[in-house]
Amino acid sequence: MTTTTQHQRSEGVRAAASGLTMFAAVMLVMCGMLDIFRGIMAIADDEVFINTPHYVFRFDLTSWGWIHLGLGVVAMAVGIGLVVMQKWARIMGVGVAALLIIGNFLDIPYAPLWSVTLIALYGFIIWALCVVQPDSESY
């Protein structure tokens, strides 16, 4: 490919790229909402979660609640930005999903099944945002 010639993508490739971006957007909004609910549960009632007395990264569950609530709100905002095809949202989506993977990993002793599920979903979101190279005119 020379610098003067620009490679044109087929309609199928463009559809796949926009489909994966939309998948990431919807999943980011949904997972962000789940983290918001998780944060509200931890803030409102600490007895909902498992108590692990000798956990290295032990925080008060109310603190974990505020962390998940804040990151969930940011994840939803970035997901909405992805729906309207904003370039900043694509970059932030990878970063926010990575932060939420770390947050959910550190939170495994308090809600193991929920944490592992969300880690997998955020991994899919990162994959969907990184695997496609959208056309420059759409971003």
Side-chain angles (χ1 to χ4, degrees):
M1 183 163 102
T2 64
T3 56
T4 57
T5 327
Q6 194 173 26
H7 177 69
Q8 295 295 322
R9 293 182 178 193
S10 70
E11 285 299 316
V13 172
R14 281 187 237 213
S18 98
L20 280 174
T21 303
M22 193 55 62
F23 165 80
V26 170
M27 292 305 294
L28 201 54
V29 170
M30 285 178 35
C31 291
M33 198 176 309
L34 289 174
D35 270 311
I36 288 171
F37 291 148
R38 181 185 201 172
I40 291 170
M41 287 184 334
I43 292 167
D45 188 15
D46 288 1
E47 286 81 36
V48 173
F49 295 94
I50 299 170
N51 190 4
T52 308
H54 301 295
Y55 184 48
V56 175
F57 301 107
R58 185 176 30 174
F59 286 113
D60 178 47
L61 281 174
T62 305
S63 300
W64 276 121
W66 284 108
I67 290 168
H68 283 288
L69 182 67
L71 287 173
V73 168
V74 172
M76 286 186 66
V78 170
I80 292 168
L82 282 169
V83 169
V84 295
M85 304 290 247
Q86 296 294 313
K87 186 174 187 169
W88 64 265
R90 205 172 138 88
I91 296 165
M92 289 276 303
V94 173
V96 168
L99 283 175
L100 282 160
I101 284 175
I102 293 167
N104 281 294
F105 174 77
L106 295 175
D107 205 32
I108 284 177
Y110 301 112
L113 184 60
W114 192 324
S115 293
V116 170
T117 302
L118 284 176
I119 287 170
L121 291 173
Y122 285 123
F124 282 127
I125 291 166
I126 291 172
W127 172 79
L129 290 175
C130 291
V131 76
V132 264
Q133 295 285 329
D135 291 333
S136 60
E137 61 266 1
S138 65
Y139 276 92

